[in-house]
Amino acid sequence: MGIVEDVADELALESLKIINATGDDAFVQRIADTIGGSSQTMEEAYLTAVRVRRAEQRARELLKSLKDDMARRPEPPAGG
């Protein structure tokens, strides 16, 4: 990734930690507005990184749930 994407991803990760701790989803837009005042390119990269990281979180939660469900299933009989 380039510097814009790297910085945007770092900011997205930090932002999501705060959002997950506080539940304040408006935080993303406040950061985006601050960034956008200086660089629209960085603002767009940040918002994209936030969306990607949120999608990743949802996917990982689903994968964990599916793995947990599979672990709770009884083993099929051997040699059946």
Side-chain angles (χ1 to χ4, degrees):
M1 283 195 278
I3 186 146
V4 171
E5 291 84 6
D6 290 344
V7 172
D9 191 49
E10 288 176 26
L11 291 171
L13 287 171
E14 287 184 46
S15 296
L16 289 172
K17 286 179 187 175
I18 292 169
I19 292 164
N20 290 339
T22 65
D24 182 10
D25 279 332
F27 184 78
V28 169
Q29 194 56 51
R30 289 199 316 261
I31 298 298
D33 291 343
T34 300
I35 294 168
S38 299
S39 171
Q40 186 177 6
T41 301
M42 174 64 90
E43 177 186 14
E44 291 170 5
Y46 168 75
L47 290 171
T48 298
V50 168
R51 287 190 298 272
V52 167
R53 291 300 186 165
R54 282 182 166 166
E56 177 192 18
Q57 283 180 344
R58 288 190 299 270
R60 289 188 186 282
E61 288 169 5
L62 177 58
L63 285 171
K64 182 183 180 319
S65 175
L66 293 171
K67 286 179 185 178
D68 291 348
D69 287 348
M70 290 174 62
R72 284 193 292 270
R73 289 185 188 162
E75 290 291 321

